[in-house]
Amino acid sequence: MKNEESLAFATIEELAALLAKRKISPVELTEMFLRRAEQGNPALNAFLTVTAEHALASARQAEKQLFRRRSSHRERHPLLGIPIAIKDNIWTRGIRSTAGSKILREFVPSQDSTAARKLSRAGAILIGKTNLNEFAYGITGGNAHYGPVHNPWALDRISGGSSAGSAVAIAAGLCAASIGTDTGGSIRVPSAFCGTVGLKPTFGRVSVFGTMPLSPSLDHVGPMARSVADAATLLGLIAGRDPLDATSSSRPVEDFRNALRKPIGKFRLGRPREHFWEKLDPEVRRAAEAAVHAMQNRGAAIREVSLPHLKESLDAATDISLAEALHVHEAAGYFPARAAEYDDEVRHRIEAGGKVPAHRYLAGFDVRKRLLAEFDAALKSVDAIVTPTVPVPAPLIGAESVGIEGAQFGVRPTIVGHCRPANFTGLPAISIPCGFTRAGLPVGLQLIGRAFDETTLLRIAYSYERANDWPTRHPRQ
């Protein structure tokens, strides 16, 4: 059996192979991750609920199935015996699902979300629910009710949010993978800050049923993982049409994992003229430029593309998210009836939704059409658009501004600015590790692709990942 350190940072594929060969049992693997969660969570605050009893019962059942020596078990249950975590705004039947809020502190769903149900059917073992910004309404990983999530690379730094605990649990070796949500970068930002892989699929590719909504026009559910291959595996399991979610697409679900085995050859990357490459921390610029150059050396063609309505879209997306968040919380009966139970920052954002006039909300969708047309035009000449995921390394916890090129900018708008366009257009986007700052903080590279073409996006990301050793580096325990 491998030592604990190598097991904790192994990929799903590696763990599945060890389980199949009986080098380790599902119970031993689950006990190891639970032990690491118990030891690491007090400092990291990645988990709100650790489901030890539930996980061990699932592990014992998985062990029985694996030890029957039936190869069909692995085919029908590709995650059999693999311990994962799920963000706490995603329902899990019989397990507390707080959405990081005081209002839902004791909420225990009577049914699974579609994503949780599909993972359970695939054999995954749920070891816990991860911490997040309250109601997923934030980007730093801070939570006034349950405390902030700490970055495992530097505990005084933010993890990014709102899928904060999910990225941290993966990066620190507390679980094998996780599922998060992304409304304005909430999968990709913490993935970039924590050195993990995060994929926001095309809007409608994955059902959002059973997920506490934030802004239904922008909400996505997606995989967070240790490798591109793991993200591809998870996406294939949770994607697909869901009769419980009217926004889910009936587009066929491809075999994303097997597609990675096909050589990609030469591909074309679009580098936007506007916004993404303009104001960057020097170390982020260095790492991202080096990543683009490395892909170019491996045969990628780099072309400049133009997205003139990009900056206009940032305000339009904000108007949509503010208005929709207010409607969601009013419809749920939480606001204004229970306004006192919200954190001040979250309550102020929800209140701000009432200041967005109808004409401005509707105008936002006109901007969306224009920007999507520009992305579609650009993606006819390139296979993906490449940008830094976030323009700065992880800021200090509690920082209100960050410095870039001698000027100060607000933390929140700086962090969401590169990720929100993919939510606004609904296009798929992935963040992959592309380097570290001199202080040892991870840097992420973002690839944005064509609608429902996650396959190409994953293949490009995989080709870069295989040529670099970034995923093999882990925070000191």
Side-chain angles (χ1 to χ4, degrees):
M1 185 177 75
K2 289 189 175 185
N3 62 43
E4 179 174 305
E5 188 76 3
S6 60
L7 284 173
F9 295 104
T11 65
I12 290 174
E13 191 169 41
E14 291 167 339
L15 292 175
L18 291 171
L19 288 166
K21 295 175 183 176
R22 301 192 185 187
K23 299 290 186 181
I24 190 171
S25 74
V27 171
E28 290 170 331
L29 188 60
T30 301
E31 287 176 337
M32 183 271 291
F33 277 120
L34 288 172
R35 183 168 59 252
R36 290 181 64 86
E38 182 180 11
Q39 294 169 350
N41 202 54
L44 298 170
N45 201 26
F47 286 98
L48 292 180
T49 301
V50 175
T51 56
E53 184 176 339
H54 171 88
L56 289 170
S58 298
R60 286 189 285 270
Q61 183 61 34
E63 198 158 296
K64 290 178 182 177
Q65 292 178 272
L66 279 171
F67 287 2
R68 288 173 187 160
R69 292 183 177 274
R70 294 180 183 172
S71 60
S72 61
H73 279 314
R74 177 60 61 189
E75 294 170 4
R76 289 185 287 113
H77 308 290
L79 297 183
L80 190 61
I82 304 295
I84 67 161
I86 293 179
K87 187 176 179 180
D88 206 36
N89 63 334
I90 300 174
W91 293 358
T92 44
R93 182 169 60 88
I95 297 171
R96 189 175 74 137
S97 303
T98 70
S101 71
K102 185 177 180 180
I103 291 171
L104 297 177
R105 184 185 293 272
E106 304 301 330
F107 174 58
V108 178
S110 59
Q111 60 181 324
D112 273 327
S113 62
T114 297
R117 174 174 50 81
K118 287 185 173 183
L119 291 171
S120 178
R121 287 183 176 178
I125 295 171
L126 176 63
I127 68 164
K129 304 296 294 295
T130 56
N131 200 354
L132 67 155
N133 291 84
E134 181 183 6
F135 286 118
Y137 213 170
I139 203 69
T140 63
N143 188 301
H145 307 300
Y146 302 100
V149 182
H150 297 263
N151 194 312
W153 296 91
L155 294 178
D156 60 347
R157 299 280 172 165
I158 68 171
S159 58
S162 63
S163 304
S166 292
V168 168
I170 297 166
L174 310 186
C175 66
S178 188
I179 299 297
T181 64
D182 193 315
T183 303
S186 290
I187 285 174
R188 290 158 289 153
V189 169
S191 294
F193 283 162
C194 296
T196 59
V197 175
L199 172 63
K200 182 203 78 66
T202 307
F203 184 82
R205 172 67 91 177
V206 177
S207 170
V208 296
F209 173 77
T211 301
M212 175 66 199
L214 173 57
S215 174
S217 296
L218 308 175
D219 292 344
H220 300 69
V221 171
M224 303 176 72
R226 205 174 304 289
S227 71
V228 173
D230 284 358
T233 296
L234 291 168
L235 178 62
L237 293 172
I238 63 176
R241 172 66 181 158
D242 178 14
L244 298 174
D245 175 11
T247 68
S248 65
S249 172
S250 58
R251 292 283 290 264
V253 177
E254 302 164 57
D255 190 337
F256 301 111
R257 179 64 187 90
N258 281 335
L260 300 183
R261 296 191 174 98
K262 301 174 184 176
I264 191 169
K266 294 184 177 181
F267 53 89
R268 303 160 300 168
L269 293 177
R271 181 170 169 143
R273 183 183 305 133
E274 300 86 2
H275 180 62
F276 287 111
W277 293 89
E278 291 176 354
K279 289 183 172 62
L280 299 175
D281 175 273
E283 294 196 85
V284 169
R285 183 181 295 279
R286 173 184 55 80
E289 295 276 15
V292 172
H293 186 65
M295 287 191 277
Q296 193 170 19
N297 286 342
R298 292 178 61 83
I302 311 299
R303 300 178 180 178
E304 186 176 80
V305 297
S306 183
L307 304 165
H309 285 92
L310 196 56
K311 291 184 179 179
E312 182 185 357
S313 76
L314 299 178
D315 287 339
T318 298
D319 286 341
I320 290 171
S321 63
L322 287 172
E324 291 188 349
L326 172 62
H327 173 70
V328 163
H329 285 258
E330 285 182 337
Y334 305 152
F335 193 88
R338 305 180 69 175
E341 297 177 66
Y342 289 84
D343 168 51
D344 288 346
E345 186 177 0
V346 175
R347 184 176 66 253
H348 290 157
R349 288 196 196 119
I350 292 173
E351 289 171 344
K355 300 176 183 178
V356 178
H359 73 273
R360 212 165 73 202
Y361 172 75
L362 295 173
F365 290 96
D366 291 334
V367 176
R368 180 186 182 278
K369 290 176 184 176
R370 291 194 290 272
L371 182 63
L372 184 56
E374 290 169 3
F375 267 100
D376 287 344
L379 288 164
K380 286 178 181 176
S381 62
V382 298
D383 299 301
I385 289 169
V386 62
T387 81
T389 308
V390 189
V392 294
L396 291 166
I397 291 175
E400 295 183 359
S401 63
V402 290
I404 305 176
E405 299 177 353
Q408 292 294 311
F409 299 90
V411 166
R412 179 179 171 80
T414 299
I415 292 175
V416 302
H418 284 201
C419 289
R420 179 160 275 178
N423 295 90
F424 191 54
T425 57
L427 296 174
I430 189 171
S431 178
I432 54 175
C434 72
F436 291 84
T437 67
R438 294 183 186 88
L441 297 174
V443 177
L445 188 75
Q446 178 178 224
L447 296 165
I448 304 171
R450 305 181 190 97
F452 296 102
D453 190 16
E454 286 87 357
T455 295
T456 298
L457 211 57
L458 287 161
R459 291 176 69 197
I460 294 172
Y462 185 62
S463 70
Y464 173 77
E465 181 185 74
R466 290 179 66 196
N468 294 274
D469 69 347
W470 308 126
T472 67
R473 304 188 189 187
H474 314 299
R476 294 177 182 177
Q477 301 301 301

